[in-house]
Amino acid sequence: MKHTQSRAGFALPMAIFLLLVTTGAVMTTLAQTSTERRVSDSGATGERALVLAESGLARLDELGFDFASSVQDSARITMSDGFADVVMERVRAPTSTERAVFVVRARGVQTQGGWSDAPNAVRTVVRLGEWVEGTMQVHAGWTSLTGLRKNGNAGSLSGIDQCGVQSPVAGVAVPDSPGYSGHSGPVSGSPPIKSIGSTPGNAAAQVHIDWAGIVDGSALEPDYVYPDDGWPSDFDDWPVIYVDNPGSGFSLPDSGRGTLIVRGDLTISGSRSWDGIVLVGGELTSNGNNRVRGATITGLNVKLGETPGESDVGNGNKSYVYNSCNVQDAMQSQASLRILDNTWLDTWAQY
Amino acid sequence: MTLVEMLVGLVVSGIMLGALVGLFINQSQLTGDRASRRVARDVVRSGSQILSADIRRLESSGGVEAASADSVTLRVPLAIGLVCGSSGGGSPSTTVSLLPTDSVRYATAAVSGFAWRSQAGAYTYMPTTGLGSGTASTCSSASVSTLSGGRVVELTAGSGAIPAGAPALLYERIRYAFTDTGSGVALVRTLVESGDREVLVTNFSDGGTRFRFFVGSSGTAQDAPPADLSDLTGLELVLEGQGDRPRVSDGAVATVPLTVPVYFKNQMN
């Protein structure tokens, strides 16, 4: 006989119970893992915010803050996973003997990569910096550590400030030997010809330019290194150009302005002109009716123990004159905020 | 239901209940082990975060006052500012304009003195616990501006050789030590000036937790601190957290190792 009445069993309740237990265990494990990931991610995003803040400080140069005339400025740098708000504030005004001091701070905010309901990670770092104005000691319109030879009586080698701001300097500054030779008629200044020592070595000690540092790149960061970077196409910002031609000659390809630094010899031909500063390691040979308005120093390789030749100004209406405004404009492009070592801190008030 | 059916049902039920109990026990052990490992991870993570923040701020020439494998005494910078004026003699004092500083951090600090920075970048430490409000006019006459949120303080130490405008750090001396508590090693912080002692993290394993030392430009930490602590450029935190219960399977306590190099941010380049 067949039973049609249903009979109670325990397989189904047992299976359901087992499923509940397993689900509970899995849920507990997931919750624990999730909590730990949040804690771990919280630390990681905090570190990332710190990196963003540090990146903000490192990119200070890109922000174009006017440290020369502003006392406060700010900018935001947006990055792939957040941003950095960079603020500069002057905390000490410049005095006649002291430079202006600024505090620069960057607040890094991590906006990506964290949990959706978690607040953004924020870190602020601070450093101090001082505004270093570009300055240059000018002995003369043309200072040559290895003497200067002038052919003909035309042209001008003048230490009288063409800009009319500063007191006159010498027209030419040279050592006693080799000194200045040739016609002295084109030379004017106070005095027209100045001795800066008996020998090129003595003269080198009087010219306070860190030529070795410039040559090895530690003292100055050029805007252009020729020939690697090519010749600049615009000179609006008074660029610093370093011509890397040790032991060979370089002919000025075009007129321009800024700071022209030539490791070897320099030739200026035709009617080309330069406004600003010309620093030459070797000798400068001038052909044609060219001119430099600013300050010229040649023979600087003496500072490296080398023996460059005497600079030579040929016949023609050449003009090498002191112009303090052009010198200042050229140096201004070299002014910068020097971040002070040992002034990092991350305890800036967050609110 | 027949007797046979009942016996079969009891046997099957017994087997299934046994399996379930086994599952419960295994699950419980697994959860316990996992929780224990999580405790161990929390231990090393917390220790690393607490120590890293303070060590990173240190100034290399004088930031570490004493060091050994299980403890370090640090001069932790608390706030930075500019010196407005300083004088030595019988009643030395230095006025400093501080930049805005985290208020909680400042309020809970036990200031141990200040260090001023020379033009060349080296710091000179001037210990003093005398700290009070300074005179704003001292700063304005030195062309030093006090920013919104900043404060002018006066410390009872000074020298006529400290120039106005020199950067200065307020610091507090903090001793961090890995101390054996009997049931494990704890990270203990002591504010040296006040003597306040606080157990920050417990459950480090004995022997696996210590400080190691970066000296000069070496990228490899050494076990012993250098004779001249100003040669230090960073500390390596060798941490090993342990769980809060032994594993059932082998009776051992889970451990989680973590090695974190932390370099001082304030170094002469």
Side-chain angles (χ1 to χ4, degrees):
Chain A
M1 186 177 157
K2 190 175 179 182
H3 293 278
T4 54
Q5 184 184 352
S6 63
R7 297 174 62 186
F10 56 84
L12 184 59
M14 191 64 75
I16 291 171
F17 181 67
L18 204 59
L19 272 174
L20 283 174
V21 168
T22 308
T23 304
V26 168
M27 293 298 287
T28 304
T29 304
L30 280 177
Q32 287 173 345
T33 305
S34 172
T35 302
E36 188 156 7
R37 274 200 62 195
R38 278 175 175 262
V39 173
S40 176
D41 285 358
S42 171
T45 53
E47 287 298 310
R48 181 60 194 155
L50 184 64
V51 171
L52 290 172
E54 294 277 22
S55 301
L57 283 189
R59 292 171 63 180
L60 187 64
D61 288 346
E62 302 171 20
L63 303 178
F65 289 156
D66 182 6
F67 291 97
S69 55
S70 295
V71 296
Q72 186 177 27
D73 205 348
S74 64
R76 174 168 290 186
I77 300 172
T78 303
M79 288 168 256
S80 61
D81 53 353
F83 60 86
D85 286 331
V86 184
V87 180
M88 72 84 163
E89 286 180 273
R90 197 176 72 186
V91 288
R92 193 181 195 205
T95 66
S96 58
T97 55
E98 302 291 339
R99 295 169 175 148
V101 179
F102 289 84
V103 55
V104 285
R105 70 177 190 270
R107 179 172 173 269
V109 181
Q110 164 94 359
T111 58
Q112 305 289 322
W115 292 76
S116 58
D117 56 347
N120 293 330
V122 178
R123 292 286 187 280
T124 300
V125 295
V126 175
R127 295 198 73 169
L128 295 174
E130 60 181 12
W131 180 243
V132 182
E133 299 275 3
T135 58
M136 181 183 176
Q137 169 205 41
V138 179
H139 283 288
W142 186 334
T143 302
S144 175
L145 305 187
T146 52
L148 183 60
R149 183 171 54 246
K150 172 73 175 83
N151 295 325
N153 211 21
S156 174
L157 299 170
S158 174
I160 297 165
D161 187 5
Q162 194 184 42
C163 186
V165 174
Q166 297 293 332
S167 302
V169 295
V172 171
V174 289
D176 295 341
S177 176
Y180 180 85
S181 61
H183 292 271
S184 59
V187 186
S188 61
S190 177
I193 299 172
K194 176 184 177 183
S195 168
I196 50 172
S198 55
T199 64
N202 295 143
Q206 297 299 313
V207 175
H208 301 143
I209 288 177
D210 182 10
W211 184 245
I214 290 173
V215 168
D216 69 22
S218 62
L220 192 68
E221 188 172 344
D223 300 305
Y224 296 89
V225 175
Y226 185 88
D228 293 353
D229 300 333
W231 189 250
S233 56
D234 100 57
F235 296 86
D236 291 348
D237 295 329
W238 298 77
V240 178
I241 304 159
Y242 180 80
V243 178
D244 192 15
N245 65 330
S248 61
F250 169 73
S251 183
L252 185 67
D254 206 348
S255 297
R257 67 181 187 180
T259 300
L260 175 62
I261 304 168
V262 181
R263 170 68 172 85
D265 298 332
L266 170 65
T267 299
I268 304 179
S269 303
S271 58
R272 289 177 185 129
S273 66
W274 191 264
D275 287 344
I277 298 164
V278 178
L279 304 178
V280 183
E283 61 188 65
L284 192 163
T285 302
S286 173
N287 298 316
N289 296 328
N290 44 68
R291 66 174 187 267
V292 172
R293 294 177 297 202
T296 304
I297 303 177
T298 59
L300 285 162
N301 286 342
V302 172
K303 284 177 169 285
L304 306 180
E306 299 177 11
T307 52
E310 186 177 17
S311 286
D312 189 359
V313 186
N315 291 308
N317 194 23
K318 299 163 179 55
S319 174
Y320 286 80
V321 298
Y322 173 48
N323 185 311
S324 68
C325 296
N326 286 349
V327 170
Q328 186 178 5
D329 285 341
M331 293 305 297
Q332 193 63 44
S333 71
Q334 295 167 42
S336 62
L337 186 79
R338 186 166 70 90
I339 294 293
L340 300 175
D341 293 340
N342 280 353
T343 59
W344 184 97
L345 210 56
D346 61 349
T347 58
W348 185 275
Q350 297 280 0
Y351 46 86
Chain B
M1 180 183 293
T2 65
L3 180 61
V4 173
E5 284 176 329
M6 191 179 75
L7 285 174
V8 169
L10 278 173
V11 168
V12 171
S13 300
I15 291 170
M16 297 205 64
L17 278 173
L20 269 177
V21 169
L23 183 68
F24 274 130
I25 290 171
N26 279 338
Q27 188 64 42
S28 173
Q29 287 175 358
L30 193 66
T31 304
D33 288 351
R34 194 177 290 119
S36 182
R37 284 190 65 81
R38 194 171 60 251
V39 167
R41 279 194 293 272
D42 284 346
V43 167
V44 293
R45 188 185 294 125
S46 302
S48 162
Q49 287 177 349
I50 291 167
L51 288 167
S52 296
D54 275 352
I55 293 170
R56 194 156 37 200
R57 293 184 189 117
L58 295 181
E59 182 276 318
S60 62
S61 73
V64 181
E65 195 175 81
S68 67
D70 58 8
S71 75
V72 289
T73 303
L74 311 175
R75 290 164 166 161
V76 181
L78 163 70
I80 193 169
L82 296 183
V83 172
C84 300
S86 185
S87 61
S91 303
S93 79
T94 300
T95 302
V96 180
S97 172
L98 294 176
L99 300 180
T101 304
D102 183 89
S103 55
V104 174
R105 183 86 177 83
Y106 189 84
T108 56
V111 173
S112 303
F114 74 98
W116 65 277
R117 180 188 183 278
S118 71
Q119 190 66 32
Y123 275 94
T124 302
Y125 285 77
M126 310 285 284
T128 178
T129 55
L131 174 70
S133 296
T135 310
S137 60
T138 308
C139 293
S140 54
S141 62
S143 301
V144 174
S145 308
T146 302
L147 301 182
S148 172
R151 70 187 81 203
V152 178
V153 297
E154 185 174 344
L155 297 116
T156 55
S159 160
I162 304 175
L169 296 168
L170 247 61
Y171 69 89
E172 59 180 336
R173 293 162 69 212
I174 300 177
R175 182 172 186 268
Y176 286 104
F178 293 112
T179 304
D180 194 347
T181 60
S183 59
V185 174
L187 174 61
V188 177
R189 174 170 61 192
T190 305
L191 301 182
V192 176
E193 306 308 336
S194 65
D196 289 348
R197 187 172 178 275
E198 184 181 8
V199 176
L200 299 174
V201 187
T202 58
N203 267 24
F204 288 103
S205 67
D206 196 7
T209 300
R210 64 192 183 280
F211 294 104
R212 299 182 79 229
F213 306 93
F214 291 107
V215 178
S217 58
S218 173
T220 305
Q222 62 186 46
D223 287 330
D228 184 353
L229 293 177
S230 67
D231 291 338
L232 280 171
T233 53
L235 300 179
E236 186 175 73
L237 311 176
V238 182
L239 307 175
E240 189 172 81
Q242 61 183 16
D244 57 351
R245 72 195 82 175
R247 282 192 295 262
V248 175
S249 57
D250 58 4
V253 177
T255 58
V256 173
L258 180 68
T259 300
V260 185
V262 187
Y263 291 95
F264 308 152
K265 294 291 290 183
N266 286 311
Q267 297 191 38
M268 298 279 282
N269 288 328

